[in-house]
Amino acid sequence: AQSVTQLGSHVSVSEGALVLLRCNYSSSVPPYLFWYVQYPNQGLQLLLKYTSAATLVKGINGFEAEFKKSETSFHLTKPSAHMSDAAEYFCAVSEKGTGANNLFFGTGTRLTVIP
Amino acid sequence: GAGVSQSPSNKVTEKGKDVELRCDPISGHTALYWYRQSLGQGLEFLIYFQGNSAPDKSGLPSDRFSAERTGGSVSTLTIQRTQQEDSAVYLCASSPRQGNYEQYFGPGTRLTVT
């Protein structure tokens, strides 16, 4: 069964500092991986996705993530945090090739940006 | 273009009542998903529709939960005899086609059972 672990339910960074949100997955086959962002009282917005092309994936708003098969990780980074990055971030996995199209989500990481 | 829309945005109901939540997917999207987001937890998959195929109901938590999708477009999630533990945000998502794993989410319906 698929599972996703996000280390740290809350992360605080200073404005301009590096953002690192951690995500590890468990899957019997290489999955598709996603990061979504949720702003207050809004739905989820796709930041980026990994679907077996380049292992370093660039997304919107300056975010990127690297798929590391040996570490079963897909950590999200941004070189310099902006106040507008404050939100909740969800890592998700979908198992490709099985016809199972639903996403399995982590429990989320709330990012706070300190001015 | 228009995104996924959900209605109502907020619903307060008394324990034991039935509720219906509506989702309008993006036009042309063949796949539709329902998820539940409870306080302090991640998103929990509920049900998945793909075209005219039988839905994947494997995530529905009990037989009080059901969903239908009429004409391959609008979907309704029904919760019968609501319980307080049903209080959550219910999110709908749609996807362009089977095999495309990118899902587009609506703003959700916040359900409160008193």
Side-chain angles (χ1 to χ4, degrees):
Chain A
Q2 298 276 3
S3 70
V4 177
T5 302
Q6 291 183 240
L7 286 177
S9 58
H10 291 84
V11 171
S12 293
V13 299
S14 297
E15 190 175 14
L18 171 72
V19 176
L20 171 61
L21 304 182
R22 299 178 185 275
C23 173
N24 289 85
Y25 67 91
S26 67
S27 174
S28 57
V29 297
Y32 290 144
L33 292 156
F34 305 81
W35 275 99
Y36 282 85
V37 61
Q38 186 177 33
Y39 297 101
N41 300 314
Q42 295 187 28
L44 278 71
Q45 179 183 2
L46 181 67
L47 271 179
L48 50 78
K49 64 179 179 180
Y50 166 76
T51 57
S52 77
T55 56
L56 180 62
V57 181
K58 294 187 183 298
I60 62 172
N61 302 339
F63 284 93
E64 61 182 37
E66 185 173 8
F67 171 65
K68 292 187 176 180
K69 183 178 178 181
S70 60
E71 299 179 5
T72 60
S73 69
F74 191 58
H75 302 332
L76 181 71
T77 61
K78 182 174 180 178
S80 177
H82 191 272
M83 295 299 294
S84 62
D85 295 327
E88 188 145 21
Y89 294 79
F90 292 93
C91 182
V93 61
S94 184
E95 193 168 293
K96 62 183 177 182
T98 64
N101 292 290
N102 51 294
L103 294 172
F104 294 87
F105 284 86
T107 52
T109 298
R110 184 169 298 279
L111 176 66
T112 300
V113 182
I114 304 166
Chain B
V4 177
S5 62
Q6 293 185 244
S7 61
S9 56
N10 282 282
K11 176 71 176 180
V12 180
T13 190
E14 293 180 352
K15 177 182 174 181
K17 299 283 190 183
D18 297 352
V19 295
E20 286 188 351
L21 312 179
R22 177 186 168 104
C23 172
D24 281 271
I26 293 173
S27 178
H29 281 195
T30 60
L32 187 146
Y33 310 78
W34 283 98
Y35 294 86
R36 177 168 70 175
Q37 185 177 22
S38 302
L39 187 64
Q41 300 184 28
L43 281 81
E44 173 189 14
F45 165 74
L46 296 178
I47 188 169
Y48 158 64
F49 296 89
Q50 172 59 52
N52 295 321
S53 303
D56 176 357
K57 304 178 181 180
S58 60
L60 294 178
S62 78
D63 59 8
R64 296 186 296 105
F65 288 72
S66 64
E68 63 178 20
R69 189 179 184 192
T70 54
S73 181
V74 172
S75 177
T76 302
L77 177 69
T78 301
I79 308 174
Q80 296 178 308
R81 305 181 302 282
T82 52
Q83 304 294 313
Q84 288 186 331
E85 59 263 29
D86 299 334
S87 296
V89 176
Y90 289 82
L91 292 164
C92 175
S94 69
S95 184
R97 59 189 179 276
Q98 188 173 18
N100 181 320
Y101 292 82
E102 187 166 332
Q103 297 182 19
Y104 298 82
F105 283 79
T109 294
R110 182 175 298 278
L111 175 66
T112 303
V113 182
T114 61

